[in-house]
Amino acid sequence: MNSFEWLIGLRYTRAKRRNGFISFISAASMIGIALGVAALIVVLSVMNGFQREIRGRILEVASHIQVSGQGNRLADWQPVANELKGAPKVLATAPYVQAQGLISFDGNVQGAMLRGVLPAQEDQVAGLGRHMVAGRLDALKPGEFGIVLGQDLARALGVGLGEKITMITPQGNITPAGMVPRMKSFTVVGLFRIDMYQYDAGLALIALQDAQKLFRMGEEVSGVRLKISDPLEAPYVSQQLAQASQRPLWFSDWTMENSQYFRAVQIEKRMMFLILTLIVAVATFNLVSGLVMAVTDKQADIAILRTLGASPGSIMQIFMIQGATVGIVGTLSGVLGGVLLALNVGSVVSFFEGLLGMQVLSPQVYLISSLPSEVLLSDVSAIGLISLVLAFLATLYPSWRAAKTNPAEALRYE
């Protein structure tokens, strides 16, 4: 910092230039870099927040890992559950029976995914019990043929708590008149709401033993659901359990079941990153223009420094320091402003909603009433690093041009 290149470079950054337009371009470049970095951080943080919200709602219903046997049936599920429960990172297990069916009530018919569960164990692997809007999950008693419906499914059927619906299963009964669908009456004992349409309008829960009887599975189940300590490690843990298992079991995790959605979100996030990075790139192009004009403005100073013994490398360093200072200040300002805005984006949106008298996010459409945000250190670091690299690259050509200045030509008309 004591070298004359740093002293002159920083002095040029602070000094007022004879051409005020150069100072304006430098300020515009700094502000542009700051705005680009801040916008990129806020947008990615909001997308991370949306992804976290959707992931959380999916995991309220879906298990972290599912284990099944051939033909989607598992006979000796108790030993399998006990064995898996003792595995590292596995917190709880629960058996399930899953099949499709039709639900009929008062002339209305809706298709649904039927899941037979043990309420006490199901609450350990999923948080559905916390989302009951009527009734209780433990009201599912074996032999009583109770059913818990998603709120949207119940609304589509027009059925309420305590009313009886008719369940129609794909397995039919053979009679002299031919194949007749099997039908069973169930009593609605609960309603839940996850705020995800695919579950609220398409999932129904019944007791495990009732599901076994309904689908003629005997003592078999469809599989065992697992809860692990970290849902994000589900693919890795699933692979480890599959390799350690001595049984012919099939393992799947929640990321496989929702792979299309998360793949779409990831692609969208990458595209937004690339598009918004162009804002920073445009600001760095302005930095190139400002430095080129600054080099032209300082031709006499460059020539005097060269005649005093400064090398072309020193001249190049001076203008690289000047441009890099603009990039560093702009990047740090953008990172600080972007992080602060991302952490308080919900309050900012609420303020403008109250000011304008309108609602940006309708809960009926977007399922949430406020913008979620999650600031990731990896995103902030990557954005800051890219901005600094672009700012540094923008200084190379103007600095090289300054180093090539001929002192005699620069001082001819001075």
Side-chain angles (χ1 to χ4, degrees):
M1 290 293 295
N2 293 326
S3 64
F4 84 95
E5 292 93 345
W6 278 95
L7 293 175
I8 298 177
L10 294 176
R11 183 178 179 181
Y12 277 179
T13 304
R14 300 189 302 268
K16 293 183 179 180
R17 298 179 179 87
R18 288 172 292 181
N19 189 345
F21 187 64
I22 302 176
S23 299
F24 173 77
I25 291 180
S26 298
S29 301
M30 186 182 300
I31 294 173
I33 292 173
L35 290 177
V37 169
L40 196 48
I41 291 175
V42 172
V43 169
L44 293 186
S45 297
V46 170
M47 294 186 70
N48 291 333
F50 271 113
Q51 190 172 5
R52 180 192 61 195
E53 288 289 322
I54 298 300
R55 181 172 63 237
R57 295 181 183 185
I58 289 175
L59 293 176
E60 293 290 345
V61 179
S63 58
H64 298 170
I65 298 175
Q66 289 189 164
V67 184
S68 185
Q70 295 182 351
N72 198 31
R73 297 170 79 97
L74 190 61
D76 53 344
W77 64 269
Q78 293 94 340
V80 172
N82 293 333
E83 178 183 333
L84 293 174
K85 193 172 183 179
K89 299 184 179 181
V90 177
L91 303 179
T93 63
Y96 72 96
V97 172
Q98 190 159 294
Q100 293 181 340
L102 292 176
I103 301 176
S104 174
F105 176 79
D106 195 24
N108 298 318
V109 179
Q110 293 288 328
M113 180 64 69
L114 308 177
R115 181 184 297 169
V117 299
L118 294 176
Q121 296 188 30
E122 184 68 14
D123 255 345
Q124 296 178 3
V125 299
L128 193 60
R130 298 192 297 269
H131 295 271
M132 300 295 295
V133 295
R136 296 170 57 89
L137 185 62
D138 56 15
L140 296 175
K141 306 292 184 182
E144 295 184 3
F145 291 95
I147 188 169
V148 174
L149 302 176
Q151 192 175 51
D152 291 342
L153 178 58
R155 184 182 296 114
L157 291 168
V159 65
L161 201 66
E163 295 183 302
K164 292 185 177 294
I165 56 94
T166 299
M167 181 71 66
I168 306 171
T169 67
Q171 296 87 350
N173 292 322
I174 300 177
T175 67
M179 184 72 71
V180 177
R182 298 183 69 233
M183 294 183 289
K184 180 63 181 178
S185 178
F186 282 81
T187 303
V188 178
V189 297
L191 302 175
F192 67 85
R193 182 176 182 84
I194 302 294
D195 284 333
M196 288 199 66
Y197 184 78
Q198 68 181 94
Y199 297 122
D200 291 338
L203 180 63
L205 305 179
I206 59 179
L208 182 71
Q209 292 84 344
D210 295 345
Q212 291 172 327
K213 294 178 182 179
L214 184 65
F215 298 109
R216 297 175 177 175
M217 298 186 67
E219 296 298 321
E220 295 181 342
V221 298
S222 299
V224 176
R225 290 152 56 85
L226 309 181
K227 180 180 181 179
I228 61 176
S229 55
D230 185 358
L232 299 181
E233 293 185 356
Y236 171 76
V237 175
S238 177
Q239 183 180 9
Q240 295 298 313
L241 293 175
Q243 293 175 352
S245 176
Q246 302 299 323
R247 304 169 185 265
L249 301 175
W250 185 74
F251 290 78
S252 64
D253 60 81
W254 66 276
T255 61
M256 296 171 59
E257 297 176 2
N258 302 276
S259 59
Q260 292 183 345
Y261 167 75
F262 287 105
R263 189 179 299 114
V265 171
Q266 195 64 29
I267 293 174
E268 183 179 1
K269 183 178 177 181
R270 290 175 181 174
M271 292 306 300
M272 290 299 296
F273 185 90
L274 292 176
I275 292 171
L276 293 176
T277 302
L278 295 178
I279 299 177
V280 182
V282 170
T284 57
F285 282 130
N286 289 337
L287 183 59
V288 174
S289 303
L291 281 177
V292 169
M293 296 181 68
V295 169
T296 303
D297 188 59
K298 298 294 184 181
Q299 287 286 320
D301 294 359
I302 296 172
I304 293 173
L305 289 173
R306 289 295 308 277
T307 57
L308 292 176
S311 65
S314 297
I315 301 298
M316 188 172 183
Q317 289 181 40
I318 290 172
F319 287 93
M320 288 180 66
I321 291 170
Q322 181 183 352
T325 301
V326 174
I328 291 172
V329 173
T331 299
L332 293 179
S333 302
V335 168
L336 181 60
V339 170
L340 290 176
L341 182 57
L343 292 175
N344 299 278
V345 66
S347 301
V348 174
V349 172
S350 299
F351 170 76
F352 282 105
E353 286 180 341
L355 186 65
L356 300 176
M358 60 176 291
Q359 194 171 24
V360 176
L361 295 176
S362 172
Q364 288 76 22
V365 178
Y366 298 100
L367 305 179
I368 57 175
S369 57
S370 61
L371 273 179
S373 178
E374 183 180 12
V375 181
L376 298 181
L377 179 60
S378 57
D379 288 344
V380 175
S381 301
I383 293 168
L385 180 61
I386 289 175
S387 176
L388 292 175
V389 170
L390 289 176
F392 174 75
L393 293 177
T395 65
L396 294 180
Y397 171 73
S399 302
W400 174 81
R401 181 173 174 177
K404 295 297 182 181
T405 299
N406 188 333
E409 291 292 331
L411 295 174
R412 174 178 295 179
Y413 302 104
E414 292 293 332

